Amino acid sequence: MISPLIRLRHFRALIMGLIGSLGLLGGGCSEDGITPSCPDAPLYDVRDGAARESAQVVEQRTQAIADGCATPIGTTAKSSPSQNEAGAPGN
């Protein structure tokens, strides 16, 4: 016979697994709650300027930006962390 303590541990593990799984399911939505369906981006060598700026790559990048699947190159805003987040000494 299984002890009640072991049953409780199994039950708690099951509940925590279900809660964790629900969190993973909700992670794929955008801000408006709709999961984007973006096409695969073309692969190219980023060090090769000709490949990076080829007509096909530029066209697909422009379409991805228009569809909300990408941000324009050089427009990503980086936020600076607060003192607490940057690992500054505490009080």
Side-chain angles (χ1 to χ4, degrees), residues 22-23 31 33-35 42 44 48 56 59 62 69 82-83 85-86 89:
L22 289 174
E31 292 176 357
I34 299 171
T35 303
Y44 57 87
D48 181 2
Q56 177 191 14
E59 180 182 331
T62 303
C69 295
S82 68
Q83 270 191 333
E85 292 172 345

Side-chain angles (χ1 to χ4, degrees), residues 4-62:
L5 184 59
I6 292 175
R7 281 190 206 161
L8 179 62
R9 286 184 182 167
H10 285 234
F11 181 72
R12 285 178 51 190
L14 176 67
I15 295 298
M16 295 306 286
L18 288 173
I19 290 172
S21 298
L22 289 174
L24 290 174
L25 290 175
C29 295
S30 64
E31 292 176 357
D32 57 1
I34 299 171
T35 303
S37 58
C38 299
D40 292 336
L43 300 178
Y44 57 87
D45 184 355
V46 296
R47 297 169 293 206
D48 181 2
R52 185 177 60 237
E53 298 304 323
S54 71
Q56 177 191 14
V57 171
V58 171
E59 180 182 331
Q60 288 181 334
R61 183 185 312 138
T62 303

